[in-house]
Amino acid sequence: MPFGLPSALAAAPAGGEALFVASQQGARITRVEAGAAAEALAVAPSPAVVATDAAGRLYVSHPDGHAVTVIEADGAARSLPFSGQAFGLAAEPDGRAIYVGDWSGNRVLRLSSATGAVEGVAAVGRDPANLALGADGRLYVAEREDRSVGVIDTARMARVGGLPVGEGPFALAYDPALRRLYVANVRSNDVTVIDAAAGRVLATVPAGASPYGVAVTPDGARVLVTDQHAARVTVIDARALAVAATVPVGQYPEGVAILGDRAYVANWFSDDVSVIDLATLRETGRIPVAEGPRSLVVARRGPSAEAGR
């Protein structure tokens, strides 16, 4: 099915970026540009998580469909079968491999993004949720039912450690500049801050009801956390490790991503995306999208993008 995004990305200057939103009930991936929904692509039912690599490819997990959709930068879409309940995703920057969490199988698989062949399997804690690939080549896994973040050595595809966090860890955001990992704990209503380089917990910062998504500003100064049951975003000062502000958004906010001087929040029950001005920390508008937006990602396009294909 044709998708207008790829030609737009191909024509974008080096470093061009666009925002993509996965809508679960609507089974759409929507491209957002210039403050509006520009185009939507129909995908397999119940998309859960959308991720990207440095070349601008998109990866979409389908837990109930036992598959991962790969959307190339030229618009070609294909499906990789998955022998489990695909949920969390992370991609190697060159796009040659992706990591997929098996929600019901308590494992993470490394797959060839070209063929879907399994290149490695690591056993992890119960109900692996979101994944984050660190600058050190290690993969971090939110082990939701074990109150821990597992650490996988991707060279060996083995879990080499774990860090204690709050109740129901779900979302992860890695900050390469500060070498920190931020973990949103859904049931304990807080965020665990981890020094990834030292492998230790630095702090626990209170958030609102059911923190579900997390993102870090490019300068590492602020951490934005969606509070699902409070219909707001908590803004954490990364230096002080304290709450700096809260921003009301739509109903049941889940995923959050940052593009330029704006943050974007997927409001699952409102069927829209809130736009937050990072200078004023206020919601400046809503972008209607397909039903049930839950996950979003910023896809980048740079001078080396073609080399990664």
Side-chain angles (χ1 to χ4, degrees):
M1 183 173 184
F3 193 27
L5 152 73
S7 60
L9 275 184
E17 299 173 318
L19 181 79
F20 300 91
V21 184
S23 294
Q24 186 177 62
Q25 285 80 6
R28 295 286 190 279
I29 304 298
T30 302
R31 172 171 56 95
V32 172
E33 284 188 356
E39 195 158 5
L41 170 69
V43 292
S46 302
V49 175
V50 59
T52 189
D53 61 24
R57 294 183 194 86
L58 299 179
Y59 305 90
V60 186
S61 62
H62 305 273
D64 297 333
H66 306 288
V68 175
T69 297
V70 181
I71 304 171
E72 296 285 350
D74 63 2
R78 51 195 168 84
S79 179
L80 303 179
F82 186 77
S83 61
Q85 203 170 12
F87 189 79
L89 293 173
E92 289 285 356
D94 62 10
R96 294 180 182 177
I98 57 173
Y99 301 94
V100 187
D102 182 356
W103 181 273
S104 57
N106 303 330
R107 58 185 185 156
V108 173
L109 283 70
R110 177 186 170 109
L111 306 182
S112 163
S113 62
T115 67
V118 176
E119 298 178 342
V121 182
V124 296
R126 292 179 297 164
D127 292 0
N130 285 288
L131 313 178
L133 188 61
D136 56 2
R138 293 192 169 191
L139 184 72
Y140 299 88
V141 186
E143 299 169 335
R144 180 164 170 159
E145 295 306 315
D146 280 346
R147 298 188 61 183
S148 62
V149 169
V151 184
I152 294 176
D153 180 337
T154 58
R156 295 188 288 142
M157 280 305 293
R159 187 183 187 276
V160 294
L163 294 162
V165 294
E167 293 274 2
F170 186 78
L172 306 172
Y174 186 74
D175 176 6
L178 295 181
R179 307 188 74 181
R180 288 178 177 176
L181 185 72
Y182 297 90
V183 185
N185 303 307
V186 176
R187 291 198 290 268
S188 54
N189 300 332
D190 52 27
V191 174
T192 302
V193 185
I194 293 172
D195 181 332
R200 64 186 179 90
V201 174
L202 292 176
T204 300
V205 183
S210 296
Y212 206 85
V214 61
V216 186
T217 56
D219 61 2
R222 289 172 173 169
V223 183
L224 278 70
V225 184
T226 58
D227 299 324
Q228 190 184 59
H229 291 171
R232 72 182 191 187
V233 169
T234 295
V235 182
I236 295 172
D237 182 317
R239 184 178 296 274
L241 292 177
V243 175
T246 58
V247 184
V249 291
Q251 298 177 43
Y252 248 59
E254 295 211 345
V256 55
I258 294 169
L259 176 57
D261 58 0
R262 301 287 189 272
Y264 297 84
V265 179
N267 301 314
W268 185 18
F269 285 4
S270 298
D271 299 334
D272 56 24
V273 173
S274 289
V275 183
I276 297 175
D277 184 320
L278 292 175
T280 63
L281 294 180
R282 293 184 178 180
E283 183 188 48
T284 59
R286 303 267 183 92
I287 302 170
V289 293
E291 182 182 4
R294 303 196 69 176
S295 175
L296 34 71
V297 70
V298 173
R300 295 172 174 83
R301 186 78 171 182
S304 61
E306 292 300 322
R309 292 185 56 187

